[in-house]
Amino acid sequence: MRPEEAWQSVLGELEVSMGRSSFLTWLHAARMLTYEDGHFIIAVANGYAKQWLEQRKLSEIKRLLSARMGRSVEVTLTVMTSNSTASSQSPTTPPLIAASQAQPAPAATASLSSDGLLPRYTFDAFVVGPGNQVAYAAARSVADHPGQSYNPLFLYGGSGLGKTHLLHAIGNFVKQRGLVCRYVNSETFSNELIAAIRTQSQEAFRSKYRLVDVLLLDDVQFIAGKEFIQEELFHTFNTLYSANKQIVLTSDRAPRMMVTLEERLRSRFEWGLMADISPPDLETRMAILQHKAAQMGRELPMEVVEFVARQIQSNVRELEGALTRLLATADITGRPITVQLARDALSDLTGRRVNITPSQVIETVAAYYNISVAEMVSPSRNKELVQPRQVAMYLLRQETDASLPEIGALLGGRDHTTVLHGVERIRMRLEVEEQLRRDIMHIRERLYLNTQPS
């Protein structure tokens, strides 16, 4: 790939892996300034984004860019300035790309209003299907009658299924009615609270989130285990609820599954309506693709729509990423949009849509940790076996259709509660342990590479 193509491809993959909310916060405004002799210089929106990316994502960005460039590369992050324009492009940057970057890059929050809402996420832009009907209807009811029906509303489900979209749709709807609304993800909420404590500005922080008509809190699972964050959210919740103000929360799991969440918060999250969102069926995925393509002013042949929808089954975010990649490939190569082009453009993604068996997961995890399968499934509680076994439980749950009892049986006849504990333990550690995130990423890569499509 050319350097800019590699960078755009990496951005697309990071948007899928990070999640839309984190991507918008940290990488939405990032621009490639120069590339020369294996060295990328990337401009980001501000010092906070630079620090966050250097600590959490720089090694991954380097790895992804190296893979696409076919060589080892270095990446330097710098804070964007008004001079970060095409004039600083290296000669290796294509002229068309340099021209497109001649204007100053937008700020990270350019597409965000001061209340955190993304205007393009509306109810009209949400494709309804069997897996999200209840969540959609509840969100519409809350938007029509905030603080009266379903308070709080708790939406939960896997990553990329539309929870964040519904939050913004609620916010945009009530905002048009003149109500004060604020959207925030739990990471931003936590970071702002820490900054407020450091600068002794807690009252301003509390006013920001308590003097509203509607509070929309995304990815609440990330506050589990953070005691002082939970304490602040507890009092914020009580203040809003007592004033009949609407609270809407999202998570990747139900409250009862957040084992390190304080009981007093868990019970409050369950006071109103809990609605889960499940992965879209084939017809819904096809409708989503057609809708997204229409928004981009494009039209896809029906056989291409069905092909892509059959390959990408897990979530809407991956579906959108696949569509973006397909259209970009068509534009870059000048080829017509056909099933063959889709197969070529999405070859690495469709390679993941395989029938991964539980035995393949167990064998791959065992090989990664240099232990035998026999040790993995043995009754031994040796501490050197605990992490591999729990990682296997987590990946069996994520990558296969095996139930908790089935996973327990595969791993030496363990009880389903033991499996549930292992899965939740890995989920919690993934929130804070970079090395574990890398381990699981590498295991997944081995699993996908060693498994042939069915």
Side-chain angles (χ1 to χ4, degrees):
M1 288 188 179
R2 294 181 300 181
E4 179 66 25
E5 291 173 358
W7 170 241
Q8 292 301 324
S9 176
V10 167
L11 280 180
E13 183 165 341
L14 288 170
E15 182 174 359
V16 172
S17 64
M18 293 173 63
R20 184 68 175 167
S21 179
S22 291
F23 180 84
L24 288 172
T25 302
W26 305 111
L27 270 172
H28 176 68
R31 297 290 183 272
M32 190 191 94
L33 294 184
T34 65
Y35 172 82
E36 187 171 356
D37 194 24
H39 189 185
F40 284 85
I41 297 181
I42 306 298
V44 297
N46 51 54
Y48 295 111
K50 179 176 181 290
Q51 182 179 10
W52 190 91
L53 289 166
E54 286 176 340
Q55 292 175 352
R56 303 194 186 191
K57 288 293 176 182
L58 185 57
S59 60
E60 182 179 0
I61 292 172
K62 289 169 63 176
R63 179 182 61 80
L64 294 173
L65 283 171
S66 296
R68 284 158 175 79
M69 296 297 293
R71 59 168 294 177
S72 178
V73 304
E74 290 298 321
V75 178
T76 299
L77 301 181
T78 185
V79 177
M80 194 175 296
T81 68
S82 59
N83 294 323
S84 299
T85 62
S87 61
S88 60
Q89 297 286 339
S90 76
T92 60
T93 304
L96 287 176
I97 292 172
S100 69
Q101 293 183 340
Q103 298 300 320
T109 56
S111 59
L112 291 169
S113 58
S114 59
D115 46 29
L117 295 172
L118 286 163
R120 63 189 179 87
Y121 285 146
T122 64
F123 286 119
D124 290 340
F126 190 85
V127 178
V128 183
N132 58 32
Q133 281 179 328
V134 174
Y136 175 81
R140 287 303 305 249
S141 179
V142 161
D144 288 332
H145 308 287
Q148 299 177 37
S149 62
Y150 312 139
N151 196 21
L153 173 61
F154 193 101
L155 305 176
Y156 67 96
S159 175
L161 296 181
K163 302 184 300 295
T164 298
H165 187 141
L166 287 177
L167 279 189
H168 286 280
I170 292 169
N172 287 317
F173 187 88
V174 301
K175 182 181 176 182
Q176 291 178 348
R177 298 170 54 189
L179 299 181
V180 178
C181 177
R182 189 167 300 282
Y183 165 89
V184 65
N185 62 52
S186 62
E187 184 174 16
T188 300
F189 184 88
S190 301
N191 291 340
E192 288 185 4
L193 176 57
I194 294 169
I197 293 172
R198 186 171 62 246
T199 59
Q200 298 183 345
S201 57
Q202 292 98 314
E203 286 307 312
F205 172 86
R206 288 166 184 157
S207 296
K208 179 177 180 179
Y209 291 108
R210 297 183 189 182
L211 298 180
V212 297
D213 298 303
V214 180
L215 176 63
L216 309 167
L217 182 58
D218 209 357
D219 290 327
V220 74
Q221 73 270 9
F222 291 120
I223 69 165
K226 301 175 181 177
E227 294 183 4
F228 76 100
I229 304 295
Q230 293 185 67
E231 177 75 19
E232 184 65 32
L233 181 57
F234 172 78
H235 294 296
T236 297
F237 185 105
N238 286 345
T239 299
L240 293 170
Y241 187 86
S242 299
N244 292 320
K245 305 302 183 182
Q246 181 68 50
I247 306 162
V248 187
L249 311 107
T250 74
S251 172
D252 65 356
R253 69 203 80 162
R256 65 180 180 275
M257 300 293 288
M258 288 185 260
V259 294
T260 58
L261 185 67
E262 292 182 3
E263 180 60 34
R264 58 180 181 170
L265 270 179
R266 182 182 295 111
S267 65
R268 280 162 173 76
F269 290 171
E270 296 174 343
W271 277 354
L273 174 68
M274 293 187 296
D276 72 315
I277 302 179
S278 58
D281 59 11
L282 176 62
E283 289 74 17
T284 305
R285 296 196 301 273
M286 292 176 66
I288 290 170
L289 283 170
Q290 290 174 306
H291 179 79
K292 296 296 181 182
Q295 284 185 320
M296 301 166 74
R298 309 293 285 268
E299 185 174 350
L300 301 180
M302 187 55 64
E303 62 270 18
V304 174
V305 171
E306 182 173 354
F307 174 82
V308 176
R310 287 190 181 279
Q311 306 308 310
I312 312 296
Q313 302 177 16
S314 58
N315 67 55
V316 178
R317 189 174 296 131
E318 286 192 12
L319 203 61
E320 293 179 353
L323 175 62
T324 300
R325 181 181 295 194
L326 171 60
L327 295 177
T329 302
D331 292 341
I332 291 170
T333 64
R335 294 169 59 186
I337 300 176
T338 63
V339 171
Q340 185 57 52
L341 176 65
R343 185 177 285 111
D344 294 343
L346 308 179
S347 58
D348 60 330
L349 295 179
T350 57
R352 296 187 178 192
R353 307 303 153 201
V354 294
N355 290 324
I356 294 174
T357 66
S359 62
Q360 288 167 331
V361 173
I362 294 172
E363 290 166 4
T364 304
V365 173
Y368 182 82
Y369 286 105
N370 198 27
I371 61 176
S372 68
V373 172
E375 289 176 305
M376 178 84 78
V377 302
S378 72
S380 173
R381 297 184 179 180
N382 188 314
K383 64 179 182 179
E384 295 178 359
L385 301 176
V386 172
Q387 176 164 314
R389 195 174 286 141
Q390 290 183 340
V391 167
M393 293 173 180
Y394 175 82
L395 288 174
L396 283 165
R397 191 66 169 158
Q398 292 284 315
E399 304 295 340
T400 75
D401 295 324
S403 65
L404 294 175
E406 289 170 341
I407 294 172
L410 289 164
L411 293 172
R414 287 173 163 78
D415 185 83
H416 77 279
T417 57
T418 301
V419 176
L420 179 60
H421 170 76
V423 172
E424 289 301 313
R425 175 65 178 159
I426 294 299
R427 279 179 175 165
M428 288 186 296
R429 291 178 58 195
L430 283 172
E431 298 171 8
V432 295
E433 295 184 26
E434 177 67 26
Q435 185 57 53
L436 181 60
R437 286 196 288 267
R438 292 177 184 172
D439 288 344
I440 289 182
M441 177 186 67
H442 292 318
I443 293 170
R444 276 199 169 107
E445 288 177 348
R446 290 189 185 186
L447 190 61
Y448 297 144
L449 288 172
N450 294 335
T451 307
Q452 296 302 315
S454 57

